[in-house]
Amino acid sequence: MSLHQNPNQEIWTGRKTSEPEYWYQFVQCISDFNFSSETGRKIGILGYPGEEGVKRNQGRPGAKEGPDLIRKFLAGTAFHLNDNSQILDYGDIVTSGNDLESTQQKISETVLDLLRNKHFPVLLGGGHDLAYAHGKGILQHLHPKGEKLGIINLDAHFDLRPLVNGKGHSGSPFYQLYEEFPDQFRYLALGIQRAANPQSLFNTAKNVNANYLVMEQFRLQNWEYIEEQIIWFLDSVNKVYLTIDLDGFASAFAPGVSAPSPMGFNPQIAFKVFELIAKSKKMISLDVVELNPRFDQDNATARLAARCIEYLLRKIFS
């Protein structure tokens, strides 16, 4: 079975206009990984409709339906990027049975190819186990250059859990990256909830030298301190990989996730963080994960996911 599925052009539809004004009118669907060699700024979209890692982590299934729904709501979003920005949808990397490891290897190889072909990768999940594969591809790209990667994770969870029976899952991606790249691991987690992370995970965070802000600190009224911590982290690295776990948002804004929480952060603080990271001009890649359409309400979480992506790319590419 091929792990790659070509993109579906029919998803990219929207309001009819006489002139191109919406995302669907700018997205090009690319088959068989024929990477664009054209000059200009290229955004490479790649979906991961996978939930094997969520199942291994005892989460609720449904995340595999996420990538296409994010595409659907991106499609109808007004377009405000530079005219020379190419948006290229390269389809999905899928999982054969429960062979998550082969899927992750394929994603890492594809991310590496996207970066080598001068794309800005935007990955759509799927479970947060995507971050291990995504981060590995970026680190493989940067290591020969001697550049330091900083991982910024907006999330309720550290995702530093140990493997289960020697296998990774949606709760272990950053622990796996630390184990494989201990000298290159630089990690900042924002929005960590004590109720969702036992003391053992705080101990692990200390052992791997992770930086983090707990939910009580990650509030708008504390912005000056938050900004200081993020800028310090940005100054310590050459490039930044931003990963957005939708379960970090309060369930009032993001009910459609595997592990919803009423005590998460709100979009206002998240979007201030997005703007600050974009201003650094160090961001190299992005993913949005853990959308679970089965539990969404009026597609609120899917719409939020699309808006996160649009806002970040507008700040980077406009």
PDB file of all heavy atoms in Angstrom, residues 94-122:
ATOM      1  N   VAL A  94      -0.767   8.589   4.854  1.00  0.00           N
ATOM      2  CA  VAL A  94      -1.735   7.785   5.602  1.00  0.00           C
ATOM      3  C   VAL A  94      -1.022   6.642   6.317  1.00  0.00           C
ATOM      4  O   VAL A  94       0.179   6.417   6.146  1.00  0.00           O
ATOM      5  CB  VAL A  94      -2.827   7.228   4.659  1.00  0.00           C
ATOM      6  CG1 VAL A  94      -3.580   8.371   3.989  1.00  0.00           C
ATOM      7  CG2 VAL A  94      -2.231   6.293   3.615  1.00  0.00           C
ATOM      8  N   THR A  95      -1.793   5.922   7.128  1.00  0.00           N
ATOM      9  CA  THR A  95      -1.260   4.801   7.894  1.00  0.00           C
ATOM     10  C   THR A  95      -1.863   3.494   7.402  1.00  0.00           C
ATOM     11  O   THR A  95      -3.078   3.394   7.211  1.00  0.00           O
ATOM     12  CB  THR A  95      -1.576   4.963   9.396  1.00  0.00           C
ATOM     13  OG1 THR A  95      -1.036   6.214   9.838  1.00  0.00           O
ATOM     14  CG2 THR A  95      -0.965   3.839  10.213  1.00  0.00           C
ATOM     15  N   SER A  96      -1.018   2.520   7.175  1.00  0.00           N
ATOM     16  CA  SER A  96      -1.474   1.188   6.787  1.00  0.00           C
ATOM     17  C   SER A  96      -1.682   0.357   8.047  1.00  0.00           C
ATOM     18  O   SER A  96      -0.725   0.054   8.770  1.00  0.00           O
ATOM     19  CB  SER A  96      -0.443   0.520   5.874  1.00  0.00           C
ATOM     20  OG  SER A  96      -0.840  -0.795   5.556  1.00  0.00           O
ATOM     21  N   GLY A  97      -2.942   0.015   8.323  1.00  0.00           N
ATOM     22  CA  GLY A  97      -3.236  -0.729   9.548  1.00  0.00           C
ATOM     23  C   GLY A  97      -2.833   0.070  10.772  1.00  0.00           C
ATOM     24  O   GLY A  97      -3.223   1.227  10.924  1.00  0.00           O
ATOM     25  N   ASN A  98      -2.014  -0.521  11.633  1.00  0.00           N
ATOM     26  CA  ASN A  98      -1.539   0.199  12.822  1.00  0.00           C
ATOM     27  C   ASN A  98      -0.033   0.476  12.752  1.00  0.00           C
ATOM     28  O   ASN A  98       0.611   0.691  13.779  1.00  0.00           O
ATOM     29  CB  ASN A  98      -1.871  -0.588  14.089  1.00  0.00           C
ATOM     30  CG  ASN A  98      -1.256  -1.983  14.106  1.00  0.00           C
ATOM     31  OD1 ASN A  98      -0.504  -2.345  13.205  1.00  0.00           O
ATOM     32  ND2 ASN A  98      -1.567  -2.760  15.131  1.00  0.00           N
ATOM     33  N   ASP A  99       0.499   0.498  11.534  1.00  0.00           N
ATOM     34  CA  ASP A  99       1.933   0.717  11.340  1.00  0.00           C
ATOM     35  C   ASP A  99       2.241   2.216  11.347  1.00  0.00           C
ATOM     36  O   ASP A  99       2.523   2.824  10.308  1.00  0.00           O
ATOM     37  CB  ASP A  99       2.384   0.069  10.025  1.00  0.00           C
ATOM     38  CG  ASP A  99       3.896   0.165   9.828  1.00  0.00           C
ATOM     39  OD1 ASP A  99       4.597   0.639  10.750  1.00  0.00           O
ATOM     40  OD2 ASP A  99       4.377  -0.226   8.734  1.00  0.00           O
ATOM     41  N   LEU A 100       2.162   2.806  12.521  1.00  0.00           N
ATOM     42  CA  LEU A 100       2.434   4.227  12.679  1.00  0.00           C
ATOM     43  C   LEU A 100       3.884   4.562  12.343  1.00  0.00           C
ATOM     44  O   LEU A 100       4.180   5.630  11.788  1.00  0.00           O
ATOM     45  CB  LEU A 100       2.125   4.643  14.121  1.00  0.00           C
ATOM     46  CG  LEU A 100       2.447   6.080  14.523  1.00  0.00           C
ATOM     47  CD1 LEU A 100       1.680   7.079  13.670  1.00  0.00           C
ATOM     48  CD2 LEU A 100       2.150   6.288  16.011  1.00  0.00           C
ATOM     49  N   GLU A 101       4.786   3.662  12.638  1.00  0.00           N
ATOM     50  CA  GLU A 101       6.213   3.946  12.470  1.00  0.00           C
ATOM     51  C   GLU A 101       6.573   4.196  11.005  1.00  0.00           C
ATOM     52  O   GLU A 101       7.368   5.103  10.695  1.00  0.00           O
ATOM     53  CB  GLU A 101       7.043   2.805  13.054  1.00  0.00           C
ATOM     54  CG  GLU A 101       7.048   2.755  14.572  1.00  0.00           C
ATOM     55  CD  GLU A 101       5.691   2.414  15.197  1.00  0.00           C
ATOM     56  OE1 GLU A 101       4.911   1.652  14.574  1.00  0.00           O
ATOM     57  OE2 GLU A 101       5.388   2.918  16.295  1.00  0.00           O
ATOM     58  N   SER A 102       6.004   3.412  10.077  1.00  0.00           N
ATOM     59  CA  SER A 102       6.272   3.632   8.652  1.00  0.00           C
ATOM     60  C   SER A 102       5.706   4.969   8.197  1.00  0.00           C
ATOM     61  O   SER A 102       6.313   5.683   7.391  1.00  0.00           O
ATOM     62  CB  SER A 102       5.676   2.499   7.808  1.00  0.00           C
ATOM     63  OG  SER A 102       6.355   1.287   8.057  1.00  0.00           O
ATOM     64  N   THR A 103       4.539   5.326   8.721  1.00  0.00           N
ATOM     65  CA  THR A 103       3.936   6.617   8.398  1.00  0.00           C
ATOM     66  C   THR A 103       4.832   7.754   8.867  1.00  0.00           C
ATOM     67  O   THR A 103       5.074   8.717   8.130  1.00  0.00           O
ATOM     68  CB  THR A 103       2.556   6.741   9.074  1.00  0.00           C
ATOM     69  OG1 THR A 103       1.711   5.687   8.609  1.00  0.00           O
ATOM     70  CG2 THR A 103       1.907   8.070   8.753  1.00  0.00           C
ATOM     71  N   GLN A 104       5.334   7.646  10.091  1.00  0.00           N
ATOM     72  CA  GLN A 104       6.185   8.708  10.621  1.00  0.00           C
ATOM     73  C   GLN A 104       7.472   8.852   9.820  1.00  0.00           C
ATOM     74  O   GLN A 104       7.940   9.973   9.570  1.00  0.00           O
ATOM     75  CB  GLN A 104       6.483   8.432  12.096  1.00  0.00           C
ATOM     76  CG  GLN A 104       5.257   8.601  12.981  1.00  0.00           C
ATOM     77  CD  GLN A 104       5.552   8.344  14.441  1.00  0.00           C
ATOM     78  OE1 GLN A 104       6.359   7.478  14.786  1.00  0.00           O
ATOM     79  NE2 GLN A 104       4.894   9.078  15.330  1.00  0.00           N
ATOM     80  N   GLN A 105       8.034   7.736   9.405  1.00  0.00           N
ATOM     81  CA  GLN A 105       9.238   7.796   8.591  1.00  0.00           C
ATOM     82  C   GLN A 105       8.974   8.511   7.274  1.00  0.00           C
ATOM     83  O   GLN A 105       9.772   9.338   6.822  1.00  0.00           O
ATOM     84  CB  GLN A 105       9.766   6.382   8.328  1.00  0.00           C
ATOM     85  CG  GLN A 105      11.045   6.328   7.500  1.00  0.00           C
ATOM     86  CD  GLN A 105      12.217   7.057   8.150  1.00  0.00           C
ATOM     87  OE1 GLN A 105      12.318   7.109   9.384  1.00  0.00           O
ATOM     88  NE2 GLN A 105      13.095   7.619   7.335  1.00  0.00           N
ATOM     89  N   LYS A 106       7.828   8.202   6.659  1.00  0.00           N
ATOM     90  CA  LYS A 106       7.468   8.841   5.392  1.00  0.00           C
ATOM     91  C   LYS A 106       7.234  10.337   5.574  1.00  0.00           C
ATOM     92  O   LYS A 106       7.632  11.147   4.719  1.00  0.00           O
ATOM     93  CB  LYS A 106       6.211   8.173   4.819  1.00  0.00           C
ATOM     94  CG  LYS A 106       5.760   8.723   3.468  1.00  0.00           C
ATOM     95  CD  LYS A 106       6.756   8.418   2.380  1.00  0.00           C
ATOM     96  CE  LYS A 106       6.223   8.831   1.007  1.00  0.00           C
ATOM     97  NZ  LYS A 106       7.206   8.590  -0.070  1.00  0.00           N
ATOM     98  N   ILE A 107       6.610  10.724   6.673  1.00  0.00           N
ATOM     99  CA  ILE A 107       6.388  12.146   6.935  1.00  0.00           C
ATOM    100  C   ILE A 107       7.722  12.864   7.121  1.00  0.00           C
ATOM    101  O   ILE A 107       7.939  13.947   6.568  1.00  0.00           O
ATOM    102  CB  ILE A 107       5.488  12.332   8.178  1.00  0.00           C
ATOM    103  CG1 ILE A 107       4.053  11.863   7.871  1.00  0.00           C
ATOM    104  CG2 ILE A 107       5.471  13.791   8.627  1.00  0.00           C
ATOM    105  CD1 ILE A 107       3.161  11.804   9.083  1.00  0.00           C
ATOM    106  N   SER A 108       8.629  12.268   7.899  1.00  0.00           N
ATOM    107  CA  SER A 108       9.946  12.892   8.109  1.00  0.00           C
ATOM    108  C   SER A 108      10.672  13.098   6.789  1.00  0.00           C
ATOM    109  O   SER A 108      11.253  14.164   6.535  1.00  0.00           O
ATOM    110  CB  SER A 108      10.796  12.030   9.042  1.00  0.00           C
ATOM    111  OG  SER A 108      10.231  11.932  10.321  1.00  0.00           O
ATOM    112  N   GLU A 109      10.653  12.081   5.943  1.00  0.00           N
ATOM    113  CA  GLU A 109      11.315  12.188   4.638  1.00  0.00           C
ATOM    114  C   GLU A 109      10.670  13.273   3.784  1.00  0.00           C
ATOM    115  O   GLU A 109      11.373  14.026   3.077  1.00  0.00           O
ATOM    116  CB  GLU A 109      11.234  10.844   3.913  1.00  0.00           C
ATOM    117  CG  GLU A 109      12.050   9.733   4.565  1.00  0.00           C
ATOM    118  CD  GLU A 109      11.751   8.363   3.982  1.00  0.00           C
ATOM    119  OE1 GLU A 109      10.851   8.267   3.113  1.00  0.00           O
ATOM    120  OE2 GLU A 109      12.396   7.371   4.408  1.00  0.00           O
ATOM    121  N   THR A 110       9.347  13.390   3.850  1.00  0.00           N
ATOM    122  CA  THR A 110       8.641  14.372   3.035  1.00  0.00           C
ATOM    123  C   THR A 110       8.902  15.785   3.536  1.00  0.00           C
ATOM    124  O   THR A 110       9.104  16.708   2.736  1.00  0.00           O
ATOM    125  CB  THR A 110       7.127  14.075   3.037  1.00  0.00           C
ATOM    126  OG1 THR A 110       6.908  12.723   2.609  1.00  0.00           O
ATOM    127  CG2 THR A 110       6.397  15.008   2.091  1.00  0.00           C
ATOM    128  N   VAL A 111       8.904  15.972   4.866  1.00  0.00           N
ATOM    129  CA  VAL A 111       9.230  17.286   5.425  1.00  0.00           C
ATOM    130  C   VAL A 111      10.638  17.693   5.014  1.00  0.00           C
ATOM    131  O   VAL A 111      10.890  18.845   4.622  1.00  0.00           O
ATOM    132  CB  VAL A 111       9.089  17.269   6.962  1.00  0.00           C
ATOM    133  CG1 VAL A 111       9.712  18.520   7.588  1.00  0.00           C
ATOM    134  CG2 VAL A 111       7.619  17.152   7.363  1.00  0.00           C
ATOM    135  N   LEU A 112      11.577  16.757   5.077  1.00  0.00           N
ATOM    136  CA  LEU A 112      12.952  17.041   4.658  1.00  0.00           C
ATOM    137  C   LEU A 112      12.994  17.458   3.192  1.00  0.00           C
ATOM    138  O   LEU A 112      13.674  18.437   2.831  1.00  0.00           O
ATOM    139  CB  LEU A 112      13.822  15.806   4.894  1.00  0.00           C
ATOM    140  CG  LEU A 112      15.311  15.917   4.566  1.00  0.00           C
ATOM    141  CD1 LEU A 112      15.970  17.047   5.342  1.00  0.00           C
ATOM    142  CD2 LEU A 112      16.020  14.590   4.863  1.00  0.00           C
ATOM    143  N   ASP A 113      12.247  16.764   2.343  1.00  0.00           N
ATOM    144  CA  ASP A 113      12.201  17.120   0.921  1.00  0.00           C
ATOM    145  C   ASP A 113      11.569  18.492   0.709  1.00  0.00           C
ATOM    146  O   ASP A 113      12.026  19.277  -0.132  1.00  0.00           O
ATOM    147  CB  ASP A 113      11.397  16.066   0.139  1.00  0.00           C
ATOM    148  CG  ASP A 113      12.183  14.781  -0.093  1.00  0.00           C
ATOM    149  OD1 ASP A 113      13.431  14.819  -0.010  1.00  0.00           O
ATOM    150  OD2 ASP A 113      11.552  13.740  -0.363  1.00  0.00           O
ATOM    151  N   LEU A 114      10.510  18.786   1.450  1.00  0.00           N
ATOM    152  CA  LEU A 114       9.866  20.102   1.327  1.00  0.00           C
ATOM    153  C   LEU A 114      10.840  21.217   1.681  1.00  0.00           C
ATOM    154  O   LEU A 114      10.946  22.220   0.969  1.00  0.00           O
ATOM    155  CB  LEU A 114       8.632  20.170   2.230  1.00  0.00           C
ATOM    156  CG  LEU A 114       7.389  19.408   1.768  1.00  0.00           C
ATOM    157  CD1 LEU A 114       6.364  19.318   2.898  1.00  0.00           C
ATOM    158  CD2 LEU A 114       6.766  20.066   0.540  1.00  0.00           C
ATOM    159  N   LEU A 115      11.559  21.046   2.774  1.00  0.00           N
ATOM    160  CA  LEU A 115      12.507  22.079   3.198  1.00  0.00           C
ATOM    161  C   LEU A 115      13.663  22.217   2.208  1.00  0.00           C
ATOM    162  O   LEU A 115      14.097  23.332   1.895  1.00  0.00           O
ATOM    163  CB  LEU A 115      13.029  21.758   4.595  1.00  0.00           C
ATOM    164  CG  LEU A 115      11.990  21.883   5.724  1.00  0.00           C
ATOM    165  CD1 LEU A 115      12.525  21.281   7.015  1.00  0.00           C
ATOM    166  CD2 LEU A 115      11.597  23.339   5.943  1.00  0.00           C
ATOM    167  N   ARG A 116      14.149  21.091   1.712  1.00  0.00           N
ATOM    168  CA  ARG A 116      15.249  21.144   0.740  1.00  0.00           C
ATOM    169  C   ARG A 116      14.803  21.817  -0.558  1.00  0.00           C
ATOM    170  O   ARG A 116      15.625  22.410  -1.259  1.00  0.00           O
ATOM    171  CB  ARG A 116      15.752  19.733   0.453  1.00  0.00           C
ATOM    172  CG  ARG A 116      16.612  19.156   1.563  1.00  0.00           C
ATOM    173  CD  ARG A 116      16.988  17.712   1.294  1.00  0.00           C
ATOM    174  NE  ARG A 116      17.958  17.212   2.268  1.00  0.00           N
ATOM    175  CZ  ARG A 116      18.305  15.940   2.390  1.00  0.00           C
ATOM    176  NH1 ARG A 116      17.751  15.015   1.597  1.00  0.00           N
ATOM    177  NH2 ARG A 116      19.185  15.566   3.300  1.00  0.00           N
ATOM    178  N   ASN A 117      13.514  21.707  -0.862  1.00  0.00           N
ATOM    179  CA  ASN A 117      12.964  22.347  -2.055  1.00  0.00           C
ATOM    180  C   ASN A 117      12.361  23.715  -1.745  1.00  0.00           C
ATOM    181  O   ASN A 117      11.515  24.213  -2.485  1.00  0.00           O
ATOM    182  CB  ASN A 117      11.924  21.429  -2.697  1.00  0.00           C
ATOM    183  CG  ASN A 117      12.554  20.282  -3.461  1.00  0.00           C
ATOM    184  OD1 ASN A 117      12.980  20.418  -4.597  1.00  0.00           O
ATOM    185  ND2 ASN A 117      12.634  19.115  -2.803  1.00  0.00           N
ATOM    186  N   LYS A 118      12.817  24.299  -0.625  1.00  0.00           N
ATOM    187  CA  LYS A 118      12.521  25.684  -0.258  1.00  0.00           C
ATOM    188  C   LYS A 118      11.030  25.961  -0.078  1.00  0.00           C
ATOM    189  O   LYS A 118      10.511  26.987  -0.513  1.00  0.00           O
ATOM    190  CB  LYS A 118      13.143  26.652  -1.271  1.00  0.00           C
ATOM    191  CG  LYS A 118      14.647  26.458  -1.439  1.00  0.00           C
ATOM    192  CD  LYS A 118      15.285  27.539  -2.272  1.00  0.00           C
ATOM    193  CE  LYS A 118      16.758  27.259  -2.512  1.00  0.00           C
ATOM    194  NZ  LYS A 118      17.517  27.014  -1.260  1.00  0.00           N
ATOM    195  N   HIS A 119      10.366  25.029   0.588  1.00  0.00           N
ATOM    196  CA  HIS A 119       8.975  25.212   0.977  1.00  0.00           C
ATOM    197  C   HIS A 119       8.893  25.568   2.460  1.00  0.00           C
ATOM    198  O   HIS A 119       9.769  25.221   3.252  1.00  0.00           O
ATOM    199  CB  HIS A 119       8.164  23.928   0.775  1.00  0.00           C
ATOM    200  CG  HIS A 119       7.934  23.541  -0.645  1.00  0.00           C
ATOM    201  ND1 HIS A 119       8.949  23.170  -1.501  1.00  0.00           N
ATOM    202  CD2 HIS A 119       6.779  23.447  -1.364  1.00  0.00           C
ATOM    203  CE1 HIS A 119       8.441  22.847  -2.678  1.00  0.00           C
ATOM    204  NE2 HIS A 119       7.131  23.021  -2.627  1.00  0.00           N
ATOM    205  N   PHE A 120       7.798  26.215   2.822  1.00  0.00           N
ATOM    206  CA  PHE A 120       7.413  26.367   4.216  1.00  0.00           C
ATOM    207  C   PHE A 120       6.344  25.311   4.473  1.00  0.00           C
ATOM    208  O   PHE A 120       5.209  25.430   4.011  1.00  0.00           O
ATOM    209  CB  PHE A 120       6.850  27.769   4.473  1.00  0.00           C
ATOM    210  CG  PHE A 120       6.468  28.020   5.911  1.00  0.00           C
ATOM    211  CD1 PHE A 120       7.337  28.668   6.776  1.00  0.00           C
ATOM    212  CD2 PHE A 120       5.233  27.617   6.409  1.00  0.00           C
ATOM    213  CE1 PHE A 120       6.991  28.894   8.099  1.00  0.00           C
ATOM    214  CE2 PHE A 120       4.876  27.842   7.728  1.00  0.00           C
ATOM    215  CZ  PHE A 120       5.757  28.484   8.574  1.00  0.00           C
ATOM    216  N   PRO A 121       6.669  24.227   5.194  1.00  0.00           N
ATOM    217  CA  PRO A 121       5.688  23.154   5.389  1.00  0.00           C
ATOM    218  C   PRO A 121       4.578  23.559   6.358  1.00  0.00           C
ATOM    219  O   PRO A 121       4.837  24.163   7.408  1.00  0.00           O
ATOM    220  CB  PRO A 121       6.522  22.010   5.981  1.00  0.00           C
ATOM    221  CG  PRO A 121       7.946  22.352   5.662  1.00  0.00           C
ATOM    222  CD  PRO A 121       8.001  23.841   5.695  1.00  0.00           C
ATOM    223  N   VAL A 122       3.346  23.218   5.993  1.00  0.00           N
ATOM    224  CA  VAL A 122       2.186  23.360   6.868  1.00  0.00           C
ATOM    225  C   VAL A 122       1.523  21.994   6.944  1.00  0.00           C
ATOM    226  O   VAL A 122       0.941  21.527   5.960  1.00  0.00           O
ATOM    227  CB  VAL A 122       1.191  24.409   6.340  1.00  0.00           C
ATOM    228  CG1 VAL A 122      -0.051  24.459   7.231  1.00  0.00           C
ATOM    229  CG2 VAL A 122       1.848  25.782   6.267  1.00  0.00           C
TER     230      VAL A 122
END
